[in-house]
Amino acid sequence: MVEATVASGGAGPAYDDSPVIEVRDLSIAYGGRRALDNVTLEIHRHEIFGIIGPANSGKTSFLRALNRMDAFNPAMQVEGSIRINGKNVNDWRNEYALRRRIGVVFPLPVGLPLTVYENVAFSPRLRGVRRRAQLDEVVERCLRRAALWDEVKDRLDSLGSLLSGGQQQRLTIARALSQEPELLLLDEFSIAVDPVTTMRIEDVLKELRSELTIVLVTNLVQQARRLADRTAFFLMGELVEIGDTEDLFAGEARDERTTGYIEGRYG
């Protein structure tokens, strides 16, 4: 097992550079409109992998393909292969078993119409956890990992929808963690979150990277710089390049389009 030194602002334990995700010749279209074209890349175990690029560059489509969300959208056509831990995502007979391994956090908080407690306990219950003491332990652990426990420990029986926007987004992270995922996919999680809460969530992600692999789509290039070990730049459905985050931000990008986007000259 080879380990690589972390060069990003999300410094933590060195990540294992063996691939957990292998993408080969991935193309995605919606009703004939191409969203992503012939993308090949690998994502390492226990790294935060950042994806940046302007709107309509295929970033969200890439995340959807990782989680087999094309199964919910007949217009989404996926070509190429995606392997997670060596297994093609299309070979999973039970898509729920695949998605249990993958936690997803969307741009806007998506809570279940349940109490704070039941939001987090929902996935463990589906796995067959029934003992209250065991559920209590899972709920507290996940809320602590999402930096939310101290704020809601006296409100566990209140509806999650009554929390503030930032709290609801952290509740979404806690619910994703309750799946005990191997991968955590975040799609512009800070769009509806204030700067203080954004920084708190970023601190949570830095700690989580020692436990799982994180794929972070962000429209904030400086967020990628703070968090990502490596960063990919997508433009109009093309993977322009991938590099160590600090190298890209230090002006060592191979493609002028990457430098132009990072420096805010377009996008």
Side-chain angles (χ1 to χ4, degrees):
M1 182 181 296
V2 180
E3 291 190 344
T5 301
V6 175
S8 75
Y15 64 78
D16 174 357
D17 67 356
S18 62
V20 63
I21 300 174
E22 300 169 88
V23 176
R24 296 288 181 266
D25 304 318
L26 178 65
S27 295
I28 300 173
Y30 297 89
R33 179 183 63 82
R34 183 73 62 154
L36 208 61
D37 190 31
N38 200 34
V39 168
T40 294
L41 57 81
E42 294 182 350
I43 297 175
H44 303 157
R45 196 175 309 277
H46 296 301
E47 75 169 326
I48 298 180
F49 185 84
I51 302 177
I52 60 174
N56 300 314
S57 289
K59 306 184 300 297
T60 295
S61 292
F62 179 80
L63 292 190
R64 289 173 177 165
L66 293 183
N67 203 30
R68 285 297 319 276
M69 291 184 183
D70 55 299
F72 303 120
N73 185 352
M76 184 176 175
Q77 303 160 338
V78 179
E79 300 175 354
S81 70
I82 300 171
R83 304 183 75 86
I84 297 178
N85 288 325
K87 184 173 182 178
N88 194 303
V89 295
N90 291 319
D91 291 341
W92 289 82
R93 294 181 180 178
N94 185 343
E95 292 174 10
Y96 172 72
L98 170 66
R99 295 193 186 97
R100 263 192 54 193
R101 296 169 177 249
I102 305 174
V104 183
V105 178
F106 296 101
L108 298 176
V110 181
L112 301 173
L114 302 170
T115 66
V116 172
Y117 184 98
E118 292 299 336
N119 260 274
V120 184
F122 184 79
S123 181
R125 288 188 193 279
L126 287 180
R127 296 199 305 272
V129 178
R130 293 288 181 266
R131 291 179 54 242
R132 179 71 185 206
Q134 192 174 356
L135 287 170
D136 288 349
E137 180 183 344
V138 171
V139 169
E140 179 174 348
R141 181 175 69 249
C142 293
L143 288 172
R144 285 189 183 278
R145 292 170 77 197
L148 188 57
W149 173 255
D150 289 341
E151 297 171 41
V152 301
K153 61 185 178 183
D154 298 322
R155 305 166 58 188
L156 297 178
D157 292 330
S158 299
L159 286 173
S161 58
L162 298 179
L163 299 178
S164 70
Q167 289 172 329
Q168 287 187 54
Q169 191 65 302
R170 280 178 284 156
L171 180 61
T172 299
I173 293 174
R175 192 172 69 244
L177 294 176
S178 74
Q179 300 174 213
E180 300 180 353
E182 299 173 22
L183 303 173
L184 182 61
L185 312 181
L186 299 108
D187 188 4
E188 300 186 359
F189 73 86
S190 55
I191 281 181
V193 179
D194 64 89
V196 172
T197 302
T198 293
M199 297 306 293
R200 294 190 67 180
I201 295 174
E202 289 185 7
D203 288 340
V204 169
L205 297 177
K206 292 174 187 177
E207 294 180 5
L208 289 174
R209 66 181 297 284
S210 66
E211 303 174 32
L212 42 77
T213 301
I214 298 173
V215 183
L216 170 71
V217 165
T218 179
N219 61 337
L220 305 174
V221 293
Q222 290 303 320
Q223 185 173 77
R225 184 173 194 174
R226 290 191 297 269
L227 291 175
D229 301 300
R230 295 185 302 136
T231 296
F233 175 52
F234 284 22
L235 180 65
M236 298 178 65
E238 175 190 356
L239 170 58
V240 176
E241 68 177 296
I242 300 172
D244 288 341
T245 301
E246 275 308 308
D247 290 344
L248 295 182
F249 280 84
E252 298 180 18
R254 297 187 305 274
D255 194 296
E256 176 60 26
R257 292 172 295 175
T258 307
T259 302
Y261 181 75
I262 288 173
E263 293 180 351
R265 284 187 257 134
Y266 68 92

